[in-house]
Amino acid sequence: MKYTTVPVDMQDAVAVVAGAEQGARALRAGELLVHPTSSLYGIGAAVSPDADRAIAHLKQRSPGKPMIRLAHRASVVRNLPGVEWDARCERLAADFWPGPLTLVLEDGTPHGLAVRVDSHPLVEAMLARFGHLITSTSVNRASAPPARDPAEVHQVLERMLAPQRPLTFLDAGPLPDSEPSTVLGLRGGKIRVLRPGAVRVESIERSLGEAVTP
């Protein structure tokens, strides 16, 4: 597979800004983008059905399987047409974003909108420059463990099918071992933990002042 690797020294503020700008340019150009998150490397693009299909093609996964969206701040999500955003969402965003909590919101689609504001500084800076949601999913073949190290990313990319559009890899170095994001469903008036993760149920219950269904 042919792709462009952009090394980003996370200890160098100038390099982080340059990497964020290059990532935003790649997104605006319609490229696929491998990027770090707080827990693993993800692969994403500017949100569109074609982008989801291109990523599903790479990972050899069902094109109908929903993917997470990443935003740089809660207001981007709050103002999306059709998304149900209430006082509970506001509280959770204030307490846990940016951070490892993914909210699944009602948006009129069969699966809802799974969205997070991630805390990795390179992604935060890049999305602030891009200004829109991106689609994102872990860098791995279907059913295989996700990549947390650049060497693992390269190995996974070399085993993937040829991309249907240009691909850029923002190499931010090895990521620390950490739990995946907690996925919390907020559809239909119910609050349910759909995937346990880094944010504990007890913390969510303290934030909301009500019980959560595990």
Side-chain angles (χ1 to χ4, degrees), residues 76-198:
V76 174
V77 184
R78 185 191 304 125
N79 296 324
L80 289 173
V83 169
E84 293 186 9
W85 182 274
D86 58 18
R88 294 178 302 179
C89 300
E90 200 69 43
R91 176 61 62 84
L92 291 167
D95 288 348
F96 300 110
W97 282 359
L101 181 65
T102 299
L103 302 181
V104 181
L105 308 174
E106 189 65 69
D107 70 343
T109 65
H111 299 288
L113 173 71
V115 64
R116 180 173 80 250
V117 175
D118 195 79
S119 59
H120 194 283
L122 179 56
V123 171
E124 283 192 273
M126 178 185 72
L127 290 178
R129 284 160 174 76
F130 183 56
H132 306 284
L133 294 178
I134 65 169
T135 190
S136 185
T137 184
S138 57
V139 176
N140 61 321
R141 297 285 292 274
S143 302
R148 289 187 169 86
D149 183 274
E152 295 173 350
V153 172
H154 287 298
Q155 290 172 3
V156 173
L157 291 178
E158 291 302 327
R159 294 189 183 103
M160 284 183 168
L161 299 175
Q164 296 173 331
R165 53 175 77 185
L167 187 149
T168 294
F169 169 30
L170 292 182
D171 178 355
L175 302 177
D177 287 338
S178 59
E179 295 183 82
S181 67
T182 299
V183 180
L184 189 68
L186 292 163
R187 304 176 71 203
K190 297 179 180 179
I191 308 173
R192 294 181 297 172
V193 176
L194 304 179
R195 183 184 71 189

Side-chain angles (χ1 to χ4, degrees), residues 53-65:
R53 284 191 289 270
I55 294 169
H57 167 81
L58 274 182
K59 294 186 61 169
Q60 295 181 278
R61 60 181 267 176
S62 169
K65 188 175 180 180

